[in-house]
Amino acid sequence: MRSLSRRDLLRDTAAGAAAAAVAVTAAGCAEEPEHQRAEPPDPETVLLRQLIADKERIIGLYASASSAKLLPFKRRHEAHLAELRRRLPPAARGAGASATPAPSGDAAAPPGPSETSASGTPAPEPRASLRSLRTAERQAAGSRPRQAEGASPALAQLVASIGACEAAHAVALGRPL
């Protein structure tokens, strides 16, 4: 039997510890079992969340306009929103706000958060103009054909109907109310 010097023992122990560390690290990077992998999000659920975010933004614009003449427009958007939410799968409803994507890139940005004046009182929320509402409606309607492309027939039909309503709103907002 060969005798080990203290130096040899420490070297062998360090090499073993390094090998163990590599094994533990590699095990942590190993692929997860299939039952533990997260499923990719359903494309229709992603689309529904995007449509819901778009509708919430447009409803917010109409609410900031606060004109009684615009109430029918806002109510149609609220009906669209209710139908879109109804079609969202129950499992996706709980994920709600944290999983809702940003509105589609084609839509106009909503007014920013209210700023505080020098006196410390919040500045009033900017009111949406007819021009900004018309632009938002036009942009939303323009994004609907692309959104309907990969959707199921039933959802594509709803998206197309919503787009047609938004296009009609854009035209109506260009005329005197």
Side-chain angles (χ1 to χ4, degrees):
M1 177 165 175
R2 179 181 145 227
S3 70
L4 288 173
S5 69
R6 187 172 178 194
R7 184 174 288 162
D8 291 337
L9 179 63
L10 288 173
R11 185 185 64 229
D12 291 346
T13 303
V22 168
V24 168
T25 303
C29 294
E31 195 171 305
E32 293 180 36
E34 280 194 41
H35 68 279
Q36 291 181 349
R37 276 189 223 150
E39 291 290 321
D42 174 51
E44 292 228 344
T45 301
V46 171
L47 174 59
L48 282 165
R49 286 182 174 151
Q50 181 181 14
L51 292 164
I52 288 168
D54 285 348
K55 283 294 159 184
E56 289 171 341
R57 184 190 54 76
I58 289 178
I59 289 168
L61 287 174
Y62 276 98
S64 74
S66 68
S67 169
K69 293 180 180 182
L70 297 173
L71 193 56
F73 294 84
K74 182 180 172 211
R75 284 191 179 140
R76 284 188 285 274
H77 284 290
E78 290 169 338
H80 298 161
L81 179 61
E83 181 59 23
L84 291 166
R85 285 183 174 156
R86 187 186 71 74
R87 289 174 184 249
L88 197 61
R93 290 180 193 159
S98 64
T100 302
S104 63
D106 295 335
S114 63
E115 296 180 14
T116 306
S117 69
S119 66
T121 59
E125 288 290 326
R127 290 185 179 232
S129 66
L130 285 179
R131 171 178 273 158
S132 66
L133 289 169
R134 187 173 58 244
T135 299
E137 293 280 12
R138 188 179 306 123
Q139 290 174 340
S143 68
R144 301 308 177 220
R146 178 183 36 79
Q147 291 172 323
E149 278 179 11
S152 67
L155 184 55
Q157 183 178 13
L158 176 61
V159 171
S161 296
I162 288 172
C165 185
E166 291 163 337
H169 285 181
V171 170
L173 291 169
R175 297 180 180 148
L177 295 177

